[in-house]
Amino acid sequence: MSAAKSKMREKKMRNQPISVQYPASQDVESNTQNGQNTSVTAGAFARARAAEVSTMLKAVTKTTGSCHVFGALPKHMRRRAMSHNTKRLPRRLRDVANRMREKSLQTGSKKKKEQAKSKSRRARRRHGNLLLEFNRRQRKNVWLETHIWHAKRFHMVKKWGYCLGDRPTYKCYRPCYRAMSTHCLLQDLSYYCCIELHGEEDKLLVSLSQLTNKETGPTFAAAVCISGRRQGSVVVYRAGKYPSQPVGPVTFLWRPRMQGSTQRQLWIWAHPTIKQDLLTELQIVCQCEAVVAPVVPVVIPAEVPPLPEPESTSAKATQIPRMKRKRNCKDARGPPAKKILGDGTRSPTTPITWKSSSTGIVINDLTMEIVRYRLIGPQSHYVLAETLEAATVCNENGNKSQPSSFWWPEHCKDESNMNLHQQQAEVFHILKEIYSAAELPSGTVLGLTVDDPRLTLPTKKVKALPCLKQAQESDEEKSRELMLRGVPEHCCQSFLWDQSVRDNVTDNKISEQALNRMRNEVLVPGSRLSPTPLQGRVPILLVHQPGKQVGHEMSSWGAGWDLLLPKGWGMAFWVPLVYRGVRIGGLNMSLKHSQNKGIPHFPHDYPDCPAGTRFQEEQETELLDKYKRRPPAKRTNYIKHGCLAPFRCPWQQLVEEWELITKEGREERKGEGQTHNKTDADTVMEEEMTSHLDIFVTEPQSCFTVLRNRKSLRLISGWCRPTTSKGQRPCRTENATPLDSIAVASFLTEHRMSLVWVRLSLLSKGKPELNSMVCAPLAEDLQLLGKKSDSHSPQEPPHRNHFKSRVKQRKKGSEKAATSSVSSDRIEVRGSDLPSTSEPDLTTSAKDPKSSCQSSTDVILGLWPDPLPSITAHCSRVTLGWVTQGDFSLSAGCGEALGFVSVAGLLNTLLNQPREHRGLLLLRNPNSLHYRFAKINIEV
């Protein structure tokens, strides 16, 4: 008999009496063959069976805590719903079930609270209950007005206090790119924060001048922008701290001047991550203090009678409490639930207005008060022309003297307003005759009042396309004047600037129910409502967004329009735009749009801003968690690939090491009397790098900055010989300073601790990835330019992983130290495993068991532990910087990378390169040993 069968037999026989023995199968066979019979004692056998029968009866009659009444039912009648509703049980068992239910509620010192009964799906889907549920879910994360539409079609993410759509659930990467290139892509940018400044123009400009600098480009005082005709953009710094401590990029829009008034209005649009920092700086420079809003007391209506008290406690105990599915008449007395418009997470005590008693400047927080949509593509103006129609004039000849509760009838009583509206409608009509949105001046602003777009909603989706017949019959002079000079200043005015008009339009919006009722009353189904309802006029602002403005290829790619609306009208404009055949993009498409335009994307590409630093920390944590989830054998060993920081970019350490390298290089050249021969420049660079293998960065002396001085950027761009994406057409640089050691030294005196934004275009195949290394090529590498095979491309020799064996030895040492409680034994390490000067010694931590336990938890196999060694000279090629965005560019047809490099490292590399190969660098992905040649472009 096998061991398993013997164990099973022992388990069966453990409750049998001692006198009863059942022989094994072999014994039974042998006894039958020999003619022997097995003897059984009758008395002992009867006593054993009687004990079993009594035990069985006791188990059947005993009721445990887990037994229930419906256990007495046959299996085919048992239902889980019977435990919740006793009326489903047969009548003979209902009384018993009710008694058991009451007993379970009364057991214990504290009565068990009955579980609330969930409402049915039909009750939950009622409009009022849905609104209550949606309002509750918006207390933590703000929902945009298009949230429900996006939640059904997009992967939603919670960022910056909002719930936003990241990417669609269907595959549409290339269709979205085609929409941006040939038709139109629609995005909801209502999460951007709007801050309004109101005051005298001179005082506003004096205050805002402390936050900007003319070296970075046009400021708030630009002549074209201050007139209100164009939208401007600028990088805001802390007051008086330029070029360090930037806050972030913002866009601004001035309201056109009003006749007879010196007061001006300014809207500043900022990313939500820099809203608080920007508000703090504005309060400082404008000398504003918070205005406390009056607390409105809650008044309880007196006519509501108190609820009657129960007659007796016994009657209350006999009743079975149940949740209500519907609200009765008493509950219907309260006001119905309303949809949250604006910022629902803001506390009533949070100030939204700041006023200065000295300067008279007023700051208002208009976050979520204005809806902002972005249309990207050459035919975005066709989509707007098909969707929007200029507001019709009210025909109230006999009722002009009577005031109206709506803003548009009162507005129509003034002839000057009607003349302005007619001129704006003519300019909007000319937009239909322009071939592409890129032909208009960048930042053009047009104010307009339009009818409710739901009135002209088509029955099915139709792609908006240009009308050729209308374009041929158009007036070419007016369209040419619009393309050259832009919109006239008086046509940039809009009533969207007035708070009272915005509130009137939001409060008097026609509901979908009322609109559908009006459509049913139309004689011809599908025809437009006539006359247009008085509350169906909406003031809007159209702001032109420029396309690609840098480089020599794909000029004006990605141009479009921004549509500004009052709050509450988001879905009323969103659905008609979708019905014109546009593509919808999320946060992912915003990043790709910036990559194709070659501009930094906030907060990804602003490492010197607090928001950019926080973003990189969050990104590092996310990538590190994803790396830890994979087993060590199935993930990349970055130590062997020579990648010190695969999940982050240590910019501060990079600029400090290059500052030390350039400083020692200048001292060596001075000691040699500047007689050094520069013919073998690569050997000089290698000697300088090998002398700094033991660099360990201490506390930073000064924070790094990103070079944004346009004059300096143009100079360094000329030294790099900017070309097209594939390095074919050089650009002429007139009156440029020649590149020599004197020019480089003078340039570095001003920008020694700076990084510069660059665009790298691969000369061969390859796809750049996040945090790829940008390195300087050697003389031997430049000789491989003509060979396009991967076997002839530069390669990084594999590095040795010294940490794997040390971690094992450390664990063994800590175990021995814990068992023997003696930490004086020294762990011997083989000579081949001794750490080099560029690697930290981890064996010393094995002396102390506490430190070894801490270090063993910190060290991750395949990653370098902190502190990092010299990042510039760790690999065979000198490191200059890293890539923050990288992908295959569909617009350029090759792999493109965007990132930052050290100004000192770049200038030293350019100075030591031959002229025919100047501007060529190497790019290596973190999980690869192959270097790719790339052409550097610094575009201003």
Side-chain angles (χ1 to χ4, degrees):
M1 184 182 295
S2 62
K5 288 185 178 180
S6 62
K7 288 182 180 180
M8 187 179 298
R9 183 175 182 277
E10 290 177 0
K11 186 177 180 180
K12 291 180 180 179
M13 297 297 296
R14 62 186 178 185
N15 294 327
Q16 297 296 331
I18 302 176
S19 60
V20 180
Q21 295 182 359
Y22 295 99
S25 60
Q26 296 178 357
D27 299 336
V28 173
E29 293 177 359
S30 61
N31 293 335
T32 54
Q33 291 176 0
N34 298 332
Q36 298 179 2
N37 297 327
T38 304
S39 61
V40 179
T41 306
F45 184 80
R47 285 193 298 272
R49 301 290 77 76
E52 290 180 358
V53 171
S54 63
T55 305
M56 182 179 63
L57 293 175
K58 186 185 296 184
V60 171
T61 57
K62 183 180 179 180
T63 58
T64 59
S66 61
C67 293
H68 204 269
V69 177
F70 63 86
L73 295 172
K75 291 185 177 181
H76 70 277
M77 292 182 62
R78 296 178 185 178
R79 299 290 183 272
R80 183 173 296 183
M82 295 179 182
S83 61
H84 304 287
N85 189 1
T86 56
K87 292 183 179 180
R88 293 176 176 266
L89 286 169
R91 290 184 179 181
R92 59 185 179 86
L93 299 176
R94 289 180 189 174
D95 296 337
V96 182
N98 290 333
R99 287 196 300 268
M100 291 183 63
R101 190 167 180 272
E102 292 176 3
K103 185 178 179 180
S104 64
L105 291 175
Q106 294 177 1
T107 53
S109 58
K110 294 183 180 180
K111 294 184 179 180
K112 294 182 180 180
K113 187 177 181 181
E114 187 186 11
Q115 207 168 11
K117 187 174 182 180
S118 60
K119 298 180 181 180
S120 63
R121 187 180 186 277
R122 183 177 180 182
R124 292 195 306 266
R125 299 300 297 176
R126 288 195 184 99
H127 182 67
N129 295 336
L130 272 180
L131 279 181
L132 291 174
E133 179 66 15
F134 290 163
N135 293 343
R136 182 192 64 82
R137 291 165 61 184
Q138 296 181 56
R139 294 173 185 170
K140 188 174 182 181
N141 295 287
V142 182
W143 285 9
L144 305 184
E145 295 186 13
T146 59
H147 173 82
I148 303 298
W149 193 96
H150 279 90
K152 296 178 179 180
R153 301 165 178 87
F154 275 68
H155 294 283
M156 308 301 290
V157 293
K158 295 178 180 178
K159 281 189 175 182
W160 317 311
Y162 295 85
C163 195
L164 307 174
D166 184 37
R167 64 191 188 281
T169 54
Y170 49 90
K171 297 180 180 180
C172 64
Y173 177 76
R174 287 180 179 269
C176 286
Y177 172 77
R178 286 195 297 267
M180 289 188 289
S181 302
T182 60
H183 192 245
C184 181
L185 180 82
L186 178 61
Q187 291 178 324
D188 190 356
L189 300 184
S190 303
Y191 59 90
Y192 269 76
C193 304
C194 180
I195 301 175
E196 182 185 57
L197 276 72
H198 190 278
E200 295 184 4
E201 181 179 328
D202 297 338
K203 295 181 180 179
L204 286 174
L205 293 178
V206 171
S207 301
L208 295 174
S209 63
Q210 306 177 37
L211 305 178
T212 59
N213 194 284
K214 294 182 179 180
E215 295 180 355
T216 59
T219 61
F220 290 100
V224 181
C225 299
I226 201 173
S227 63
R229 299 178 60 184
R230 307 283 179 86
Q231 177 186 248
S233 61
V234 69
V235 178
V236 175
Y237 291 80
R238 297 194 181 274
K241 298 295 183 179
Y242 175 82
S244 60
Q245 299 186 19
V247 177
V250 299
T251 58
F252 60 92
L253 183 62
W254 288 90
R255 183 176 185 177
R257 297 181 177 89
M258 304 289 292
Q259 294 183 357
S261 176
T262 59
Q263 298 291 320
R264 297 296 303 275
Q265 275 182 268
L266 174 66
W267 282 350
I268 301 178
W269 295 85
H271 197 269
T273 55
I274 63 174
K275 173 188 171 182
Q276 296 300 329
D277 296 339
L278 181 60
L279 275 175
T280 303
E281 295 301 320
L282 290 175
Q283 295 171 25
I284 293 174
V285 298
C286 297
Q287 305 174 10
C288 293
E289 297 180 356
V291 177
V292 181
V295 180
V296 180
V298 179
V299 180
I300 301 176
E303 64 272 7
V304 178
L307 296 175
E309 297 181 357
E311 297 179 357
S312 61
T313 57
S314 60
K316 183 178 179 180
T318 56
Q319 296 177 356
I320 300 174
R322 294 182 61 188
M323 298 296 295
K324 299 177 182 178
R325 289 182 180 270
K326 296 183 180 180
R327 293 186 300 176
N328 54 19
C329 299
K330 295 181 180 180
D331 297 333
R333 288 181 310 216
K338 293 184 179 180
K339 183 179 180 180
I340 291 180
L341 295 177
D343 191 354
T345 62
R346 182 184 294 166
S347 174
T349 59
T350 303
I352 58 174
T353 304
W354 297 265
K355 188 175 182 180
S356 174
S357 57
S358 58
T359 60
I361 299 176
V362 180
I363 302 176
N364 293 319
D365 184 7
L366 301 183
T367 302
M368 296 294 294
E369 292 293 318
I370 300 175
V371 179
R372 184 161 191 155
Y373 294 155
R374 175 160 294 177
L375 292 90
I376 305 172
Q379 297 184 3
S380 57
H381 60 291
Y382 290 127
V383 175
L384 292 173
E386 290 289 335
T387 307
L388 308 178
E389 288 189 5
T392 54
V393 181
C394 294
N395 297 323
E396 295 184 354
N397 298 327
N399 298 330
K400 284 189 175 182
S401 59
Q402 297 180 0
S404 176
S405 59
F406 307 119
W407 76 280
W408 182 247
E410 296 294 328
H411 178 75
C412 293
K413 295 177 182 179
D414 192 351
E415 295 183 359
S416 60
N417 293 337
M418 289 294 97
N419 294 333
L420 176 61
H421 174 68
Q422 185 177 1
Q423 295 177 7
Q424 291 175 342
E426 291 178 357
V427 175
F428 182 70
H429 183 73
I430 299 175
L431 286 178
K432 305 178 183 179
E433 305 163 2
I434 296 178
Y435 178 73
S436 174
E439 298 179 0
L440 295 171
S442 60
T444 300
V445 180
L446 174 62
L448 190 63
T449 302
V450 297
D451 287 336
D452 192 339
R454 295 175 294 177
L455 302 177
T456 58
L457 186 67
T459 57
K460 61 181 181 179
K461 287 187 179 181
V462 180
K463 192 171 184 179
L465 296 174
C467 183
L468 300 178
K469 294 182 179 180
Q470 189 177 11
Q472 294 175 359
E473 299 174 359
S474 64
D475 191 356
E476 296 181 358
E477 294 183 0
K478 292 183 180 180
S479 59
R480 189 182 300 109
E481 183 179 1
L482 181 62
M483 289 186 291
L484 294 177
R485 300 182 181 180
V487 179
E489 183 176 347
H490 64 277
C491 292
C492 302
Q493 187 63 256
S494 174
F495 282 89
L496 187 66
W497 291 90
D498 296 336
Q499 179 71 35
S500 59
V501 175
R502 294 200 303 267
D503 295 340
N504 187 286
V505 173
T506 301
D507 297 338
N508 298 319
K509 177 193 171 186
I510 309 175
S511 63
E512 293 290 339
Q513 183 180 8
L515 191 63
N516 292 335
R517 189 183 301 112
M518 296 167 64
R519 286 172 179 169
N520 292 335
E521 297 174 357
V522 177
L523 296 178
V524 181
S527 61
R528 179 173 176 173
L529 297 178
S530 180
T532 306
L534 297 178
Q535 63 270 37
R537 276 80 169 188
V538 187
I540 65 171
L541 265 177
L542 295 175
V543 183
H544 182 266
Q545 291 296 323
K548 187 176 181 181
Q549 296 179 313
V550 295
H552 303 278
E553 68 281 345
M554 300 293 292
S555 180
S556 300
W557 182 93
W561 289 89
D562 279 8
L563 177 61
L564 307 184
L565 310 167
K567 68 177 181 180
W569 286 83
M571 287 303 298
F573 281 77
W574 182 267
V575 174
L577 289 172
V578 172
Y579 265 65
R580 265 66 183 192
V582 300
R583 279 277 176 178
I584 310 300
L587 297 178
N588 188 27
M589 277 298 110
S590 297
L591 180 62
K592 296 302 177 183
H593 182 231
S594 301
Q595 289 182 6
N596 291 325
K597 290 175 64 176
I599 60 175
H601 185 76
F602 190 84
H604 298 65
D605 305 319
Y606 285 81
D608 55 340
C609 297
T613 305
R614 290 192 298 268
F615 172 79
Q616 290 191 356
E617 293 175 355
E618 296 173 358
Q619 188 183 54
E620 179 187 3
T621 304
E622 181 181 354
L623 295 176
L624 185 60
D625 293 341
K626 184 178 179 181
Y627 182 80
K628 289 180 180 178
R629 287 196 294 266
R630 297 179 64 86
K634 302 298 181 182
R635 64 192 185 196
T636 306
N637 191 331
Y638 292 106
I639 297 179
K640 292 184 177 180
H641 284 75
C643 183
L644 295 177
F647 306 137
R648 61 187 175 97
C649 303
W651 304 112
Q652 185 67 31
Q653 183 176 351
L654 177 69
V655 295
E656 287 181 355
E657 290 186 11
W658 273 108
E659 170 65 16
L660 182 60
I661 292 172
T662 54
K663 183 178 179 181
E664 293 187 0
R666 288 194 300 267
E667 293 177 356
E668 291 178 2
R669 284 193 293 269
K670 288 181 180 179
E672 296 176 1
Q674 298 180 357
T675 59
H676 182 69
N677 187 11
K678 297 182 181 180
T679 55
D680 198 0
D682 295 297
T683 56
V684 175
M685 182 66 69
E686 291 177 2
E687 291 176 359
E688 291 182 359
M689 292 300 103
T690 53
S691 62
H692 299 289
L693 290 176
D694 55 346
I695 295 178
F696 286 93
V697 178
T698 58
E699 296 182 359
Q701 300 177 357
S702 61
C703 296
F704 68 92
T705 59
V706 174
L707 181 61
R708 297 187 178 94
N709 188 328
R710 291 200 173 187
K711 183 179 179 180
S712 301
L713 287 174
R714 290 192 185 95
L715 182 59
I716 195 174
S717 177
W719 288 342
C720 293
R721 294 179 60 195
T723 61
T724 58
S725 60
K726 293 189 176 181
Q728 297 171 354
R729 186 179 59 192
C731 179
R732 294 185 302 172
T733 54
E734 299 178 357
N735 302 326
T737 305
L739 178 62
D740 52 14
S741 59
I742 299 176
V744 170
S746 62
F747 191 91
L748 292 179
T749 54
E750 299 179 2
H751 311 290
R752 58 186 184 88
M753 299 285 290
S754 298
L755 301 173
V756 60
W757 170 261
V758 298
R759 180 171 64 93
L760 298 165
S761 302
L762 296 183
L763 301 184
S764 60
K765 64 179 183 179
K767 177 184 175 182
E769 296 180 358
L770 181 66
N771 297 333
S772 299
M773 290 173 288
V774 183
C775 305
L778 302 178
E780 296 81 4
D781 300 337
L782 297 177
Q783 298 177 0
L784 303 175
L785 275 175
K787 304 176 182 179
K788 296 184 179 180
S789 59
D790 291 341
S791 59
H792 295 87
S793 62
Q795 290 190 6
E796 176 72 17
H799 292 231
R800 184 172 183 179
N801 188 1
H802 298 274
F803 297 95
K804 187 174 181 180
S805 59
R806 293 178 204 172
V807 169
K808 292 181 179 180
Q809 292 177 0
R810 227 178 12 188
K811 289 181 180 179
K812 293 180 181 179
S814 60
E815 291 176 358
K816 292 180 181 179
T819 54
S820 61
S821 67
V822 178
S823 59
S824 60
D825 297 338
R826 188 181 184 89
I827 299 177
E828 297 181 358
V829 184
R830 297 179 181 179
S832 60
D833 291 339
L834 288 175
S836 62
T837 56
S838 62
E839 300 173 356
D841 189 4
L842 302 180
T843 58
T844 56
S845 61
K847 298 179 182 179
D848 190 3
K850 295 182 179 179
S851 62
S852 64
C853 294
Q854 294 176 359
S855 59
S856 63
T857 57
D858 295 339
V859 174
I860 303 173
L861 292 178
L863 294 178
W864 278 83
D866 291 330
L868 298 178
S870 174
I871 56 178
T872 55
H874 179 70
C875 299
S876 60
R877 275 76 175 174
V878 184
T879 304
L880 303 178
W882 290 278
V883 172
T884 58
Q885 300 178 32
D887 200 354
F888 183 84
S889 175
L890 296 176
S891 59
C894 64
E896 282 195 348
L898 303 172
F900 294 92
V901 297
S902 172
V903 172
L906 177 62
L907 292 182
N908 286 332
T909 303
L910 296 177
L911 188 62
N912 297 321
Q913 280 185 340
R915 186 174 181 83
E916 62 273 8
H917 293 149
R918 185 175 296 172
L920 288 179
L921 301 179
L922 294 177
L923 200 67
R924 183 165 71 91
N925 292 336
N927 55 358
S928 174
L929 295 174
H930 288 272
Y931 286 95
R932 305 286 184 183
F933 284 100
K935 177 62 182 177
I936 187 172
N937 299 285
I938 299 178
E939 298 162 339
V940 188

